[in-house]
């Protein structure tokens, strides 16, 4: 139904291939054969620092500092490469500034999630990290095939290990946040009479006042669905004013005309339950909203220093 929020997942899983792998996915990705054009931002390949006898190590350039922890500039640059590769088949591509912003936002959120996982007692051990890498090597068929895959995806060994660790820890924390959504929550079942114009909505109200059946009018105004909205929880409908009206009504109650960005609505509540099972779509929508709210709060309560232009 057009009033419902589209199902969305955590943004940018495509720009960190390791994110999918860390969740236990057994599928392997085919290395791209045509690298995308060189980005205008500076790029660098992470390499394992060589041993030095100097007493004071050189600070690694950072794209951002999140609660005192750096996001290496080289990791950011290579993640831009990976994001650009994921856009290779799109006719219209975002500009450089948009790509940079999208990538740094993703990396900051990943860092915030991983830091929270550490606070909650989860850290990916070196043994578990190696076990996951061994599984990836086995899936690709050989160590050389895995090395080729890393090269084609702008990784070296050190950066891939770091990325896989961060992705695994962030994924664990996302699962904890998502698990807070229960299987059943308060929901209403409603239907609507929807009109594109104020005049159309007013005619419907006049017909209802004269005794015309709500369902009959709903089918006349929305012949494809009969105005059925189905069961939905708070935070699920696309237009909050419609949702608020539905939850303010008793069963059998009808709203006045509600104006939204797309038109005019008259709502009738058919049923209400304090703990109705969530549909898959509704559960994913609530999990996504809960994660977005958590990230917004975490960002607001953290010290984040962005150092890229």
């Amino acid at each position: 139904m057009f009033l419902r929020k589209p199902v969305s997942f955590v943004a940018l899983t495509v720009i960190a291939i390791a994110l999918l792998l860390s969740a236990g996915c057994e599928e392997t990705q085919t290395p791209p054969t045509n690298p995308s054009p060189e980005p205008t931002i500076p790029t660098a390949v992470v390499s394992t620092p060589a041993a030095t006898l100097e007493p004071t190590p050189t600070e690694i350039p950072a794209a951002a500092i999140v609660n005192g922890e750096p996001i290496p500039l080289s990791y950011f640059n290579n993640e831009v490469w990976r994001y650009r590769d994921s856009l290779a088949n799109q006719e219209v591509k975002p500009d450089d500034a948009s790509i940079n912003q999208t990538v740094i936002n993703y990396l900051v959120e990943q860092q915030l999630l991983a830091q929270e996982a550490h606070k909650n007692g989860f850290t990916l051990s070196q043994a578990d990290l190696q076990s996951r890498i061994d599984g990836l090597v086995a899936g690709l068929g050989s160590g050389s095939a895995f090395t080729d895959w890393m090269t084609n995806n702008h990784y070296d060994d050190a950066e891939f290990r770091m990325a896989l660790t961060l992705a695994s820890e962030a994924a664990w924390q996302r699962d904890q946040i998502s698990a807070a959504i229960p299987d059943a929550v308060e929901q209403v079942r409603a239907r609507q009479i929807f009109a594109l114009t104020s005049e159309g909505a007013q005619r419907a109200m006049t017909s209802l006042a004269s005794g015309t059946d709500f369902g009959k009018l709903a089918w006349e105004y929305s012949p494809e669905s009969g105005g059925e909205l189905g069961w939905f929880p708070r935070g699920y409908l696309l237009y909050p004013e419609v949702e608020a009206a539905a939850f303010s009504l008793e069963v059998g109650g009808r709203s006045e005309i509600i104006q939204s960005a797309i038109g005019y609505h008259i709502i009738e509540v058919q049923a209400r339950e304090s703990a109705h099972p969530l549909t898959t779509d509704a559960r994913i929508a609530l999990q996504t909203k809960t994660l977005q709210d958590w990230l917004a709060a975490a960002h607001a309560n953290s010290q984040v220093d962005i150092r890229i232009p």
Side-chain angles (χ1 to χ4, degrees):
M1 177 61 193
F2 66 89
L3 287 184
R4 296 181 178 180
K5 293 178 180 176
V7 174
S8 60
F9 299 90
V10 176
L12 281 181
T13 54
V14 293
I15 69 172
I17 299 173
L19 184 60
L20 294 178
L21 301 177
S22 69
C25 178
E26 296 181 355
E27 295 182 2
T28 58
Q29 295 217 1
T30 303
T33 56
N34 296 315
S36 55
E38 182 176 355
T40 57
I41 65 169
T43 61
V45 177
V46 171
S47 59
T48 304
T52 177
L53 297 177
E54 295 178 3
T56 304
T58 302
E59 180 181 354
I60 298 175
I65 306 290
V66 181
N67 293 322
E69 294 187 40
I71 296 173
L73 180 61
S74 53
Y75 182 32
F76 165 79
N77 286 336
N78 288 331
E79 198 71 357
V80 168
W81 273 106
R82 289 185 277 275
Y83 186 31
R84 287 180 180 276
D85 286 351
S86 76
L87 301 173
N89 294 326
Q90 292 189 13
E91 292 185 6
V92 179
K93 298 178 176 62
D95 59 25
D96 289 347
S98 296
I99 289 175
N100 286 3
Q101 190 64 56
T102 297
V103 171
I104 197 62
N105 287 348
Y106 167 75
L107 294 179
V108 168
E109 290 177 357
Q110 183 186 56
Q111 192 78 282
L112 290 171
L113 287 163
Q115 289 173 354
E116 188 67 16
H118 296 166
K119 292 179 186 177
N120 290 328
F122 178 80
T123 301
L124 187 69
S125 69
Q126 288 300 308
D128 286 340
L129 173 61
Q130 189 59 52
S131 177
R132 296 189 184 204
I133 292 175
D134 291 344
L136 298 177
V137 171
L140 286 170
S142 68
S144 60
F146 180 57
T147 300
D148 290 342
W149 180 90
M150 285 200 299
T151 300
N152 281 291
N153 286 282
H154 317 290
Y155 286 112
D156 70 358
D157 182 71
E159 181 172 293
F160 184 77
R161 287 174 178 272
M162 179 191 72
L164 186 53
T165 298
L166 279 172
S168 299
E169 293 170 348
W172 183 90
Q173 183 58 37
R174 280 197 305 275
D175 288 346
Q176 306 311 300
I177 296 169
S178 296
I181 302 299
D183 293 330
V185 301
E186 181 186 17
Q187 296 188 65
V188 298
R189 182 183 179 186
R191 57 184 176 178
Q192 68 170 348
I193 296 170
F194 174 72
L196 291 172
T197 65
S198 174
E199 293 77 14
Q202 191 56 58
R203 284 196 299 272
M205 288 293 284
T206 301
S207 296
L208 290 172
S210 67
T212 303
D213 179 71
F214 190 99
K216 180 176 182 296
L217 278 177
W219 278 106
E220 289 179 3
Y221 277 75
S222 301
E224 75 289 348
S225 66
E228 180 65 40
L229 297 177
W231 287 95
F232 54 89
R234 298 179 190 272
Y236 183 50
L237 293 191
L238 187 58
Y239 301 101
E241 57 269 41
V242 176
E243 182 176 284
F247 276 93
S248 71
L249 297 169
E250 299 295 330
V251 175
R254 297 175 182 173
S255 72
E256 297 298 322
I257 296 173
I258 306 162
Q259 183 176 1
S260 75
I262 60 170
Y264 300 83
H265 315 255
I266 305 169
I267 303 298
E268 181 181 72
V269 172
Q270 299 168 287
R272 186 178 193 135
E273 292 183 8
S274 59
H276 188 81
L278 287 166
T279 64
T280 299
D281 280 359
R283 184 174 179 80
I284 292 173
L286 293 189
Q287 288 174 337
T288 300
K289 182 179 185 302
T290 300
L291 176 60
Q292 291 171 342
D293 291 345
W294 185 93
L295 287 169
H299 201 290
N301 293 307
S302 297
Q303 293 184 339
V304 180
D305 177 17
I306 306 296
R307 297 188 173 185
I308 60 171

